[in-house]
């Protein structure tokens, strides 16, 4: 039976690469965008409108998948946005909006597919988090925190739904060359800001994304995860150093790790 996959945020970057790859691998893929009309070229997968911060939009989207295919085998919670800025200068509304997109929206997606997955006694949920969610990074605190929150909730969810035959996985990418940097919310690097290093750090972050790995690596990793009978709870996909940072944080004294990160960002 052809497995039905729902990928949020399939209009660009990691989601688009994954939608193409899984379609080629024989999955029936529904990809979402806030504005499917913006696709100028036809794509080989189905497109559905979705605004992940809107509960009605989420329910309509999931209902449409179930109406058309009578099932949902895989949810890939991929839609997400970046946010940068010194915590003191970041608007609390912008932080809240980032959590809505990166954490609460994906949670609502999960809540909406679970009844069908429980009925089927099967399903896989893959939450796209970030290696940056394993640690507080300077000028990216709310982004790291939103991904970290999703990662921790994934651990709880996994234990709650395992007995229903549902697998839950976190996939944390390192830097990948997508357009995410151009869509980030930026607190303005104010002329009079005392956080002189923010602008420089922002340039470093953007350079890391631009020089990041190929999004197809994520698509291939997801394909491999889906083929496993017993996938791990956490996967990291990215450069060797980015993957190593998770282990370094665990084994190094916390101030030494902090110093390494500060040196990395020239702080
Ligand atoms: N690229 C990286 O280096 C990197 C690293 C770690 C983690 N990640 C994570 O990987 C995921 C994909 O990122 P990407 O790099 O592929 O970014 P991207 O190219 O900017 O794609 C983001 C996708 O999310 C969708 N989206 C954004 N806001 C949305 C909203 N409010 N409602 C519904 N959909 C929304 C966008 O769709 P529309 O605009 O068409 O609605 C778009 O398809 C994100 O969760 C990101 O945090 C990326």
């Amino acid at each position: 039976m052809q497995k039905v996959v729902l990928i949020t945020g399939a209009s660009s970057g990691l989601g688009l690469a994954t939608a193409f790859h899984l379609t080629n691998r024989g999955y029936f893929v529904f990809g979402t965008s806030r504005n499917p009309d913006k696709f100028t070229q036809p794509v080989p997968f189905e497109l559905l409108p979705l605004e992940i911060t809107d509960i009605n939009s989420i329910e309509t989207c999931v209902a449409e998948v179930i109406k058309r295919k009578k099932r949902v085998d895989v949810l890939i919670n991929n839609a997400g946005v970046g946010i940068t800025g010194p915590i003191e200068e970041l608007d609390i509304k912008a932080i809240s909006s980032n959590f809505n997109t990166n954490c609460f929206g994906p949670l609502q997606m999960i809540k909406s597919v679970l009844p069908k997955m429980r009925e089927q006694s099967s399903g896989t949920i893959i939450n796209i988090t970030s290696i940056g969610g394993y640690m507080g990074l300077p000028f990216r605190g709310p982004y790291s925190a939103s991904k970290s929150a999703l990662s921790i909730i994934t651990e709880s969810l996994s234990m709650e739904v395992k007995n229903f035959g549902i697998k839950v996985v976190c996939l944390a990418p390192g830097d990948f060359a997508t357009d995410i940097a151009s869509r980030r919310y930026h607190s303005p690097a104010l002329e009079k800001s005392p956080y002189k290093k923010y602008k420089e750090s922002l340039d470093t972050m953007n350079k890391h994304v631009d020089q990041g790995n190929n999004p197809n690596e994520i698509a291939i990793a997801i394909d491999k995860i889906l083929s496993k009978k017993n996938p791990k709870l956490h996967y990291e996909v990215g450069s060797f150093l980015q993957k190593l940072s998770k282990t370094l944080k665990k084994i190094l004294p916390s101030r030494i790790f902090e110093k390494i990160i500060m040196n990395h960002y020239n702080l």
Side-chain angles (χ1 to χ4, degrees):
M1 187 180 44
Q2 196 180 27
K3 291 228 165 124
V4 177
V5 181
L6 174 57
I7 308 177
T8 66
S11 65
S12 68
L14 309 184
L16 183 66
T18 305
F20 268 102
H21 184 82
L22 294 184
T23 305
N24 285 339
R25 296 277 294 143
Y27 290 89
F28 192 100
V29 174
F30 289 94
T32 78
S33 166
R34 279 167 293 184
N35 178 16
D37 294 340
K38 75 180 170 190
F39 282 73
T40 48
Q41 304 286 330
V43 285
F45 53 90
E46 300 289 318
L47 275 169
L48 295 176
L50 173 74
E51 165 55 70
I52 203 153
T53 60
D54 176 354
I55 185 166
N56 292 327
S57 175
I58 290 176
E59 282 175 355
T60 307
C61 172
V62 172
E64 182 66 17
V65 171
I66 293 170
K67 187 175 125 204
R68 283 167 63 182
K69 301 305 285 181
K70 311 285 177 249
R71 55 188 301 111
V72 54
D73 296 293
V74 180
L75 166 66
I76 302 175
N77 256 326
N78 166 75
V81 283
I83 178 169
T84 67
I87 289 164
E88 186 183 344
E89 293 178 358
L90 271 171
D91 185 334
I92 201 77
K93 285 197 188 116
I95 297 176
S96 167
S97 159
N98 189 265
F99 267 76
N100 283 338
T101 306
N102 290 356
C103 184
F104 303 136
L107 278 184
Q108 189 57 55
M109 286 297 301
I110 291 168
K111 284 161 66 65
S112 296
V113 298
L114 276 178
K116 193 66 191 172
M117 287 185 172
R118 277 192 297 100
E119 188 191 307
Q120 294 164 184
S121 299
S122 70
T124 303
I125 295 168
I126 301 181
N127 289 328
I128 305 297
T129 56
S130 171
I131 292 181
Y134 290 130
M135 61 206 76
L137 294 172
F139 308 122
R140 280 168 76 179
Y143 178 77
S144 294
S146 68
K147 293 294 187 177
S148 186
L150 183 60
S151 175
I152 292 291
I153 292 175
T154 307
E155 293 179 359
S156 308
L157 178 73
S158 174
M159 293 184 269
E160 291 172 10
V161 301
K162 204 180 279 278
N163 289 340
F164 297 115
I166 301 167
K167 300 170 201 167
V168 187
V169 171
C170 256
L171 192 165
D175 284 320
F176 280 82
T178 69
D179 288 337
I180 192 166
S182 67
R183 299 196 184 100
R184 267 198 217 116
Y185 172 88
H186 299 280
S187 82
L190 301 170
E191 285 293 308
K192 289 189 187 145
S193 170
Y195 296 93
K196 300 291 174 218
K197 291 284 184 172
Y198 167 48
K199 174 74 179 62
E200 206 181 294
S201 297
L202 193 55
D203 294 341
T204 310
M205 283 177 231
N206 292 344
K207 198 173 79 192
H208 288 165
V209 171
D210 290 343
Q211 297 172 349
N213 293 13
N214 188 320
N216 286 326
E217 273 182 44
I218 294 290
I220 292 165
I222 288 177
D223 188 9
K224 278 196 190 142
I225 291 169
L226 291 178
S227 70
K228 286 186 193 297
K229 197 160 168 253
N230 294 307
K232 292 192 297 182
L233 182 52
H234 291 286
Y235 289 86
E236 291 84 39
V237 183
S239 73
F240 173 73
L241 267 182
Q242 284 169 351
K243 288 191 281 189
L244 184 69
S245 64
K246 183 186 175 192
T247 313
L248 287 180
K249 185 179 175 186
K250 264 194 204 149
I251 59 175
L252 288 175
S254 55
R255 292 295 182 196
I256 302 284
F257 183 75
E258 183 184 66
K259 188 90 196 128
I260 292 172
I261 296 286
M262 287 181 76
N263 283 343
H264 185 69
Y265 286 97
N266 197 21
L267 290 176

